[in-house]
């Protein structure tokens, strides 16, 4: 088995005083699609930022393609990012550019391709997400789900080796959800890339991913292949798979006693 | 009492930190400015948004300031029987002071605030982070072109403001009140020195352009990424730009025009 594309070793991270990740170790093997799941606010987006080098770990090591991300200078980091694609949780489309220009942006910035070729590539990517007809619209004219699909097309524009998707399924209707899920899988296999999907959608993920990590309170609490997960007796896993509010994953952000808060005014 | 001093101290320290940040940011802009000129259409677009879109307010305000100067100037000068010097008075006030300063203030509130809002909103919606993640530097792609757009358009706008003001003064003085047309222009030509008056005025407006553009892009880039944060950043752009313009004007005037 070759060295995994991404490897996190005992990574710790905090925003100020608040520890978010408390020693996470996981790896994303080459050619595989890995899902990362966990409650809202448990640090999944932060984890992707660490892999992309936008945040630096307080402790531990993040390596991508053998390079220690935190140790890279700006140029080396940018060179690495050119081979990564990240779908942002809220799309992050450039609001002053049309859908077409958004998808063309990475191609225009990083290649010297002639305009016709860029046009063809952009249309191919838009076609893949089913929005070829929306090429001329501005981001403000798109629905949330459409915007996310455009962002997806932009993410894959440069055919990266590592694809990171932050909640690719939220806001999608069941049909697009299935199509996008399959697209993520097919892209990964066609490009020979590796993918990380951060998601809450366990049913969809079970169908398309190769491996799943569950995160809670800054640690990996369960992991396994979809088959192992389906048959798992682990309380974390079954809480997720069966969508129960009660279980080891807390629904509430850490707070004082509820009754005290109601009676006493502030918590 | 001790509290007051403590507060003043911490404000002073914060101010110095802020200056340090701005200076570092300025340096980064200069380092990443290459693209603004090699891909000139990026800068031209910003030149259009901050320069061309400010034209109307600059021209109209210039005209009104000129009209008022004409009225007030005539009223004062004719007491000393020097109403022929009206052209000199109008032109000198505009070229030396009012042109750069008032155009700068207008520019800060029209274009500076817009630039802050735009960059701030791009930050709120994570567009800057997404760009950075795509290995495109937001400073090179977003900030530097807006900075240069402001720096280039400011002196041009100030010049137009002054020209419009002189026209307004002429309109009131010569056309309405009846000051001698020939004297108006001849005295002006005699009294206004190209290097001493015009060039210094242009230098002033150039410095104001750098100050306003830098403050505007900095406040946008540095804002707290929320709706409230952006609105505060816009206010700070207008207020700090106005203070910077007036303070810099005093400093430059005391160096340039010592009689
Ligand atoms: N810029 C920031 N400053 C301070 N705290 C932050 C910041 N960004 C996120 N956090 C905190 O870090 C924690 C993890 O945030 P993160 O965005 O990684 O969560 P997430 O797992 O992606 O959640 P979701 O599923 O809701 O997107 C949250 O509890 C949040 O309060
Ligand atoms: Mg998130």
């Amino acid at each position: 088995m070759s060295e995994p594309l991404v490897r996190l070793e005992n990574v710790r991270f905090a925003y100020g005083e608040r520890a978010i990740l408390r020693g996470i170790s996981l790896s994303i093997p080459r050619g595989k699609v890995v899902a990362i799941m966990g409650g809202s606010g448990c640090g999944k987006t932060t984890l992707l930022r660490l892999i992309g080098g936008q945040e630096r770990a307080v402790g531990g090591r993040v390596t991508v393609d053998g390079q220690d991300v935190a140790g890279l200078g700006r140029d080396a980091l940018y060179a690495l990012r050119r081979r990564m694609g990240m779908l942002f949780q809220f799309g992050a489309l450039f609001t002053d550019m049309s859908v077409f220009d958004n998808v063309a942006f990475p191609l225009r910035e990083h290649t010297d391709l002639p305009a016709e070729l860029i046009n063809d590539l952009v249309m191919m990517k838009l076609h893949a997400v089913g929005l070829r007809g929306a090429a001329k619209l501005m981001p403000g004219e798109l629905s949330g789900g459409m915007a996310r699909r455009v962002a997806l097309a932009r993410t894959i524009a440069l055919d990266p080796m590592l694809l990171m998707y932050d909640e690719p399924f939220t806001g999608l209707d069941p049909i697009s959800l299935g199509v996008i899920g399959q697209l993520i899988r097919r892209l990964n296999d066609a490009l020979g890339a590796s993918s990380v999907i951060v998601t809450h959608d366990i049913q969809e993920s079970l169908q398309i991913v190769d491996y799943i990590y569950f995160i809670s309170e800054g640690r990996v609490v369960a992991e396994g292949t979809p088959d192992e997960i389906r048959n798992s007796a682990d309380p974390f896993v079954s809480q997720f798979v069966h969508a129960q509010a009660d279980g080891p994953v807390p629904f509430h952000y850490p707070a004082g006693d509820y009754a005290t808060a109601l009676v006493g005014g502030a918590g | 009492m001790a509290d007051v001093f403590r507060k003043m101290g911490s404000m002073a320290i914060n101010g110095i930190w802020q200056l340090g940040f701005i200076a570092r940011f300025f340096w980064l802009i200069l380092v990443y400015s290459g693209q603004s000129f090699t891909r000139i259409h990026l800068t031209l677009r910003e030149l259009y948004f901050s320069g061309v879109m400010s034209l109307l307010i600059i021209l109209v305000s210039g005209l009104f300031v000129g009209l008022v100067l004409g009225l007030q100037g005539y009223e004062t000068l004719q007491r000393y029987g020097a109403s022929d010097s009206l052209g000199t008075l109008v032109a000198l006030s505009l070229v030396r002071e009012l042109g750069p300063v008032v155009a700068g203030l207008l520019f800060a509130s029209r274009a500076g605030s817009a630039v802050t809002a735009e960059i701030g909103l791009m930050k709120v919606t994570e567009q800057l982070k997404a760009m950075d993640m795509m290995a495109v530097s937001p400073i090179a792609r977003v900030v530097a072109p807006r900075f240069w757009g402001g720096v280039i358009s400011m002196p041009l706008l100030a010049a137009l403001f002054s020209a419009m003001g002189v026209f307004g003064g002429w309109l009131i003085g010569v056309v309405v009140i009846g000051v001698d047309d020939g004297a108006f222009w001849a005295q002006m030509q005699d009294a206004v020195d190209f290097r001493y008056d015009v060039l210094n005025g242009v230098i002033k407006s150039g410095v104001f352009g750098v100050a306003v553009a830098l403050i505007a892009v900095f406040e946008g880039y540095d804002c707290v990424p929320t709706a409230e944060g952006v609105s505060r950043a816009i206010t700070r752009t207008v207020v700090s730009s106005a203070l910077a313009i007036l303070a810099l004007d005093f400093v430059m005037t005391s160096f340039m025009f010592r009689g």
Side-chain angles (χ1 to χ4, degrees):
Chain A
M1 194 60 217
S2 66
E3 170 80 357
L5 184 62
V6 179
R7 185 199 281 282
L8 274 70
E9 292 163 75
N10 197 24
V11 168
R12 286 179 293 114
F13 183 80
Y15 281 114
E17 296 286 287
R18 260 192 70 215
I20 306 292
L21 305 179
R22 310 162 196 244
I24 292 228
S25 300
L26 54 79
S27 56
I28 297 154
R30 288 171 200 272
K32 303 288 185 201
V33 180
V34 172
I36 295 176
M37 305 203 159
S40 180
C42 73
K44 304 182 295 298
T45 300
T46 309
L47 194 75
L48 293 187
R49 292 238 159 92
L50 285 164
I51 297 175
Q54 285 198 318
E55 304 280 3
R56 288 198 173 180
V58 183
R61 251 159 66 93
V62 180
T63 47
V64 177
D65 202 18
Q67 294 171 287
D68 183 350
V69 174
L72 293 178
R74 203 193 93 100
D75 289 341
L77 187 61
Y78 267 19
L80 184 63
R81 281 184 189 165
R82 259 177 237 190
R83 299 188 291 149
M84 294 181 178
M86 165 118 90
L87 173 68
F88 276 66
Q89 191 164 2
F90 302 104
L93 292 178
F94 301 127
T95 39
D96 57 344
M97 297 178 199
S98 69
V99 164
F100 182 94
D101 290 333
N102 261 285
V103 180
F105 183 86
L107 295 164
R108 287 182 178 144
E109 292 292 327
H110 293 310
T111 69
D112 291 321
L113 298 176
E116 307 90 68
L117 197 51
I118 289 192
N119 182 68
D120 293 349
L121 286 171
V122 171
M123 283 309 175
M124 274 163 58
K125 306 294 175 187
L126 281 174
H127 186 75
V129 297
L131 288 175
R132 197 158 43 85
K136 291 208 172 63
L137 298 183
M138 295 303 282
E141 300 168 302
L142 303 176
S143 75
M146 286 163 82
R148 192 173 304 254
R149 281 149 71 194
V150 174
L152 180 62
R154 188 179 66 179
T155 306
I156 60 180
L158 281 175
D159 298 343
M161 64 165 183
L162 172 63
L163 289 150
M164 295 185 272
Y165 304 97
D166 199 350
E167 316 266 6
F169 302 129
T170 18
L172 296 185
D173 60 85
I175 300 169
S176 340
L177 195 150
V179 174
I180 298 295
Q182 289 308 316
L183 177 67
I184 289 176
R185 180 75 240 184
R186 270 190 293 119
L187 269 172
N188 189 75
D189 300 344
L191 297 175
S194 317
S195 309
V196 199
I197 310 180
V198 160
T199 176
H200 297 122
D201 197 309
I202 180 117
Q203 299 308 336
E204 185 62 30
S205 324
L206 285 174
Q207 291 176 30
I208 58 166
V209 305
D210 299 306
Y211 205 78
I212 302 178
Y213 287 96
F214 286 90
I215 293 180
S216 179
E217 311 207 329
R219 291 199 177 80
V220 174
V221 290
E223 57 183 284
T225 62
D227 283 334
E228 289 165 6
I229 295 295
R230 277 197 201 92
N231 304 322
S232 170
D234 190 293
F236 281 97
V237 176
S238 67
Q239 188 189 353
F240 255 94
V241 176
H242 304 294
Q244 296 152 340
D246 291 324
V249 181
F251 170 66
H252 291 286
Y253 187 90
D257 181 47
Y258 188 39
T260 326
L262 288 180
V263 176
Chain B
M1 199 57 199
D3 244 28
V4 175
F5 281 116
R6 200 170 300 145
K7 237 191 179 141
M8 276 167 53
S10 86
M11 268 169 68
I13 291 172
N14 277 342
I16 292 168
W17 267 107
Q18 191 81 351
L19 271 182
F21 279 130
I22 294 197
R24 198 169 148 258
F25 191 67
F26 187 35
W27 174 244
L28 280 179
I29 294 179
L30 296 183
V31 170
Y32 289 117
S33 281
Q35 268 199 14
S36 314
F37 299 105
T38 51
R39 292 167 65 192
I40 195 73
H41 69 100
L42 294 176
T43 307
L44 288 181
R45 183 172 172 278
E46 302 313 323
L47 205 57
Y48 174 78
F49 279 114
S50 32
V52 179
M53 301 304 270
S54 306
L55 263 182
L56 189 66
I57 182 173
I58 290 285
L59 292 180
V60 172
S61 316
L63 182 65
F64 278 116
V65 168
L67 292 174
V68 171
L69 269 180
L71 279 177
Q72 293 281 14
Y74 178 78
E75 207 275 330
T76 310
L77 287 174
Q78 56 100 22
R79 289 193 213 167
Y80 308 100
S83 54
D84 281 354
S85 308
L86 184 62
T88 310
L89 177 92
V90 170
L92 282 186
S93 337
L94 280 165
V95 171
R96 285 181 172 188
E97 291 294 338
L98 290 174
V101 171
V102 179
L105 295 176
L106 290 170
F107 184 68
S109 32
R110 169 66 182 76
S113 60
V115 164
T116 305
E118 200 186 5
I119 298 181
L121 281 174
M122 290 183 83
K123 185 172 182 184
V124 173
T125 51
E126 294 195 311
Q127 294 177 45
L128 298 181
K129 277 216 169 103
M131 199 176 272
D132 187 41
M133 203 50 226
M134 285 185 244
V136 176
S137 159
I139 296 195
R141 187 64 173 59
V142 173
V143 172
R146 282 167 178 73
F147 173 77
W148 288 111
V151 170
I152 296 169
S153 46
M154 181 61 228
L156 300 175
L157 291 172
L160 285 172
F161 184 95
S162 297
M164 213 51 198
V166 170
F167 173 68
W170 173 82
L171 212 59
I172 280 287
V174 175
V175 177
V176 179
I177 300 178
V179 174
D180 182 60
D181 196 11
F184 184 91
W185 294 113
Q187 295 243 1
M188 187 190 301
Q189 279 178 8
D190 272 355
V192 180
D193 182 66
F194 180 75
R195 265 206 52 204
Y196 190 62
D197 300 309
V198 178
L199 201 61
N200 277 338
V202 172
I203 292 175
K204 274 188 178 180
S205 54
V207 171
F208 297 162
V210 172
V212 172
L214 181 61
I215 290 172
V217 291
F218 177 77
E219 291 294 353
Y221 198 78
D222 187 53
C223 76
V224 180
T226 60
E228 194 198 4
V230 175
S231 98
R232 284 190 185 189
I234 296 170
T235 310
R236 273 203 306 272
T237 292
V238 176
V239 173
S240 320
S241 300
L243 286 177
I245 287 172
L246 296 174
L248 286 170
D249 184 47
F250 169 70
V251 172
M252 282 191 286
T253 301
S254 56
F255 277 102
M256 290 171 170
F257 304 100
R258 326 210 237 196

